[in-house]
């Protein structure tokens, strides 16, 4: 059973940076797909950034050029580097993974607040 946990969130001023970490336990795993989503109050969960084991990347237009998804040498860890943060980035951020067999799992989410 995959257990995902996000870390690295918190409060940051506009223009600042944060790096979110997603760590999977219960493995080792070989993920085909890794991604980050976010959800703001009153809105649906939305894709932020994704990558595959073949290094194919997808970013939401709102974060292109500012956010970067990457994985660690440890196959159970990946990141979301967030630079030049804006108040509009305030949300609960979720990490998700999908195995080659198609199993998807989600973390519980972590708050990111961008405010002066």
């Amino acid at each position: 059973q995959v257990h995902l946990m996000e870390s690295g969130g918190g409060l940051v001023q506009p223009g600042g940076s944060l790096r979110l970490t997603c760590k999977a336990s219960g493995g080792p795993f070989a993920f085909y797909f890794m991604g980050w989503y976010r959800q703001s109050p009153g809105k649906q969960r939305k894709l932020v950034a994704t990558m595959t084991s073949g290094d194919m990347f997808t970013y939401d237009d709102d974060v292109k050029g500012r956010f970067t998804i990457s994985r660690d040498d440890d196959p159970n860890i990946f990141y979301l580097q967030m630079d030049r943060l804006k108040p509009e980035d305030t949300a609960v951020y979720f990490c998700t993974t999908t195995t080659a067999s198609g199993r998807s799992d989600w973390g519980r989410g972590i708050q990111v607040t961008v405010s002066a």
Side-chain angles (χ1 to χ4, degrees):
Q1 183 175 350
V2 179
H3 175 73
L4 301 179
M5 183 175 65
E6 303 92 346
S7 62
L11 174 66
V12 65
Q13 293 186 342
S17 298
L18 286 174
R19 188 178 76 165
L20 303 183
T21 299
C22 183
K23 184 176 181 179
S25 60
F29 304 104
F31 297 124
Y32 167 77
F33 171 90
M34 294 150 280
W36 292 92
Y37 288 67
R38 66 186 181 187
Q39 186 170 23
S40 300
K43 297 183 180 295
Q44 294 183 331
R45 191 174 300 183
K46 184 180 181 181
L47 181 149
V48 176
T50 68
M51 68 177 296
T52 69
S53 60
D55 290 332
M56 298 181 64
F57 299 87
T58 300
Y59 293 96
D60 182 75
D61 287 341
D62 294 336
V63 307
K64 284 182 178 178
R66 300 190 297 117
F67 290 12
T68 304
I69 186 172
S70 62
R71 56 180 172 176
D72 196 81
D73 290 338
D74 184 334
N76 301 302
I77 299 174
F78 62 99
Y79 307 100
L80 181 68
Q81 178 68 41
M82 304 183 293
D83 297 318
R84 292 180 286 143
L85 283 160
K86 304 175 181 179
E88 304 87 82
D89 296 318
T90 296
V92 176
Y93 284 72
F94 301 85
C95 65
T96 184
T97 59
T98 303
T99 66
S101 63
R103 174 172 177 158
S104 294
D105 295 276
W106 291 83
R108 298 180 67 179
I110 190 166
Q111 180 70 44
V112 171
T113 302
V114 185
S115 179

